[in-house]
């Protein structure tokens, strides 16, 4: 039986969710981004009105204001977007357990096994589209095809709120005329290289000799040749314990230069509290802790450390970050910026091998303490409960890092697809 693959993409995800919670902003161009008053940040997402005015994702806020003077910026609420992502996956689960997230707002679904009792791919896509709209209040565009690459091209083909089927009968008419840059993993540098070689459309790429592509782009040239010809056979990963994002992190430019280890510890704990709180809110744990440091002359470094067991504990995240700091920083200059991240995320209920050298009873007590702090802060505000060390420097400790956070989506080849690509000529 031929595979039936869907790719579902929430339209203007972040902006659409913000408009649900701020209906008074409807009718105005809206973008989700940083703080325009502080004159920093970029556009993370925009609504249709801002898009029509020329606002682009990744644009600096001041540039977006120049392009669209009436634009309204709202700060990102990533935990809210994660909740909508989970709700969408609950809907997808009614049709298949073969779900592979591609960031928060996109997901591949293999509904081949549902064909006999749920209907064909188009019927299932229409049902999912309708349910997302009625149950979540946002819209999705869905691509239907026999492989993941064309399914994604289908979801991108018409937006918003559209369904496009790309079949073996019509893909040459739909896919091949598209710009080669629309193909997954043809970035700006690859696109320029292909254009220089006279390859401007996906059809041009599909009809180029594979050996030439290999000569120009290495093995990736053969992968792109397969993508363009619909020969991608990579499976949709089964729903498992991996999170739809690969990391959650915070970084901050400090209100004054950090000159002692105590200064650094205050900032690291403030950042770790934010990271661990959001891990718990979204039922994730991190298997890798990452620290980034930049001094006051802009020299920077980033270091990672894999830990024995996945964690969402503030103390474990902070202590591992401090260990990375002590092992890697020599205090040649004062510090201006610090970042802490939990990476390689798994679901909180992921089964793990117990470690004989870890005190699981103590870890459970620490978890309950962190949860109690979460509850108190939700009810009475961030400053209602503080660690003792924070009183050593009120300027540094006056940081509610949870309001300014970063998540990082998975890439296509990070989801187990690299090994599934069989390059053939």
């Amino acid at each position: 039986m031929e595979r039936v693959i869907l790719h579902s993409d929430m339209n203007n995800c972040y902006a659409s969710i913000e408009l649900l919670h701020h209906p008074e902003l409807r009718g105005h161009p809206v973008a989700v981004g940083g703080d325009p008053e502080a004159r920093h940040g970029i556009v993370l997402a925009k609504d249709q009105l801002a898009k029509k005015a020329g606002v682009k994702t990744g644009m600096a806020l001041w540039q977006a204001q120049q392009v669209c003077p009436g634009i309204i910026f709202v700060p990102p609420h990533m935990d809210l977007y994660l909740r909508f992502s989970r709700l969408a996956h609950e809907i997808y689960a009614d049709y298949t357990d073969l779900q592979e997230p591609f960031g928060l707002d996109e997901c591949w679904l293999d509904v081949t096994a549902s064909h006999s009792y749920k209907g064909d791919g188009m019927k299932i896509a229409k049902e999912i589209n309708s349910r997302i709209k009625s149950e979540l209040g946002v819209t999705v565009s869905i691509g239907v095809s026999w492989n993941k690459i064309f399914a994604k091209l289908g979801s991108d083909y018409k937006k918003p709120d559209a369904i496009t089927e790309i079949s073996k009968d019509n893909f040459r008419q739909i896919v091949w005329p598209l710009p080669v840059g629309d193909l997954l993993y043809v970035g700006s540098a690859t696109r320029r290289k292909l254009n220089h070689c006279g390859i401007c459309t996906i059809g041009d790429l599909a009809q180029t000799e594979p050996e030439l592509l290999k000569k120009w782009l290495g093995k990736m040239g053969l992968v792109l040749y397969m993508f363009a010809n619909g020969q991608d056979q990579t499976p949709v990963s089964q729903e498992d314990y991996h999170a739809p994002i690969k990391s959650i992190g915070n970084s901050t430019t400090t209100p004054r230069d950090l000159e002692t280890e105590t200064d650094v510890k205050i900032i690291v704990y403030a950042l770790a509290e934010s990271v661990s709180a959001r891990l718990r809110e979204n039922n994730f744990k991190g298997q890798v802790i990452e620290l980034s440091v930049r001094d006051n002359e802009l020299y920077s470094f980033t270091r990672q450390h894999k830990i024995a067991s996945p964690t969402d504990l503030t103390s474990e995240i902070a202590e591992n970050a401090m260990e990375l700091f002590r092992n890697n920083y020599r205090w040649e200059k004062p510090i201006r910026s610090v970042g802490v991240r939990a990476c390689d995320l798994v679901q909180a209920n992921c089964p793990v091998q117990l470690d004989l050298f870890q005190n699981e009873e103590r870890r459970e007590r620490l978890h309950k303490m962190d949860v109690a702090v979460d509850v108190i802060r939700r009810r009475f505000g961030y400053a209602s409960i503080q660690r003792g060390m924070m009183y050593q420097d009120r300027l540094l400790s006056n940081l509610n890092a949870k309001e300014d956070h970063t998540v990082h989506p998975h890439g296509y080849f990070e989801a187990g697809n690299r090994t599934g690509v069989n390059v053939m000529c």
Side-chain angles (χ1 to χ4, degrees), residues 122 142-145 151 153-155 157-158 162-166 174:
M122 285 296 289
I142 301 178
V144 183
S145 193
L153 280 170
S155 69
Y157 190 68
K158 291 180 184 177
I163 299 171
T164 301
E165 182 176 23
I166 297 179
I174 294 179

Side-chain angles (χ1 to χ4, degrees), residues 20-90:
L20 274 180
H21 291 76
H22 299 282
E24 71 278 7
L25 298 180
R26 293 189 183 278
H28 302 279
V30 173
V32 178
D35 181 0
E37 297 300 324
R39 300 177 64 188
H40 70 78
I42 62 171
V43 173
L44 299 176
K46 70 279 181 192
D47 70 355
Q48 284 295 317
L49 291 176
K51 184 177 181 179
K52 287 178 181 177
V55 177
K56 300 181 185 299
T57 300
M59 185 178 275
L61 299 191
W62 64 268
Q63 291 176 312
Q65 285 177 315
Q66 286 186 337
V67 171
C68 183
I71 194 167
I72 298 173
F73 295 108
V74 295
H77 299 93
M78 208 61 69
D79 301 322
L80 182 62
Y81 313 150
L82 281 164
R83 184 167 73 87
F84 270 75
S85 179
R86 286 197 302 272
L87 292 171
H89 280 275
E90 289 177 10

Side-chain angles (χ1 to χ4, degrees), residues 1-8 108-112 115 120-122 125 142-155 163-172 174-175 227-234 236:
M1 179 185 294
E2 185 171 279
R3 292 195 304 167
V4 182
I5 309 296
L6 310 185
H7 185 269
S8 179
W108 280 287
L109 312 169
D110 187 334
V111 297
T112 308
H115 188 277
D120 62 17
M122 285 296 289
I142 301 178
V144 183
S145 193
W146 77 95
N147 67 78
K148 291 165 65 177
I149 300 301
F150 284 179
K152 177 162 173 54
L153 280 170
S155 69
I163 299 171
T164 301
E165 182 176 23
I166 297 179
S167 67
K168 290 184 176 178
D169 294 328
N170 69 8
F171 79 91
R172 292 176 180 82
I174 294 179
V175 173
F227 285 0
N229 281 284
Q231 296 173 10
D232 173 43
Q233 296 297 319
T234 54
V236 175

